[in-house]
Amino acid sequence: MSDMLKIFVDQELDQRIQKEYPHLKYPAAVYAKITNVKKEAAYYSYIIRILDKNKKENSKFPEIPKVKSESLYESGDVVVAIFLYGDVMPYIVGRAV
């Protein structure tokens, strides 16, 4: 009987995580490649491409436009981006070495 209860709890927990916390399936910090830079009035606007842990393009993610930063990066630079609190708009932390 305890195995059935464990299976039930595991299934319910999996469903709840999938429904309420889907961002937990993805890393909170990623490498990203700057593909386009545009100077705005008070900031720079970037288009970025998410990379995998080996710094290769990750086809699971589309390019992300309108990523804002006060720091200047050039097209082709690899940066570290984080997704704060599971948000879909990343924040550029800095250049990756």
Side-chain angles (χ1 to χ4, degrees):
M1 188 66 149
S2 66
D3 286 341
M4 289 178 58
L5 181 60
K6 182 185 179 319
I7 291 170
F8 174 75
V9 170
D10 286 346
Q11 288 174 343
E12 288 299 311
L13 188 57
D14 287 344
Q15 287 177 4
R16 185 164 187 184
I17 288 172
Q18 188 171 16
K19 181 181 175 185
E20 295 183 30
Y21 309 103
H23 60 279
L24 293 178
K25 291 184 175 185
Y26 302 103
V30 294
Y31 291 120
K33 184 177 188 178
I34 304 290
T35 61
N36 194 329
V37 182
K38 185 177 178 184
K39 174 68 173 139
E40 301 291 340
Y43 59 88
Y44 297 94
S45 179
Y46 297 101
I47 298 176
I48 64 171
R49 165 68 70 183
I50 302 298
L51 306 176
D52 64 15
K53 65 181 179 180
N54 299 312
K55 298 182 183 174
K56 304 287 185 210
E57 287 191 12
N58 189 339
S59 61
K60 293 180 183 178
F61 295 94
E63 282 190 336
I64 302 173
K66 300 179 183 176
V67 179
K68 299 175 184 176
S69 177
E70 292 178 340
S71 300
L72 174 61
Y73 304 103
E74 295 181 17
S75 186
D77 283 351
V78 175
V79 297
V80 174
I82 59 174
F83 295 90
L84 297 171
Y85 305 105
D87 195 7
V88 295
M89 184 53 71
Y91 174 80
I92 298 174
V93 178
R95 189 173 282 110
V97 180

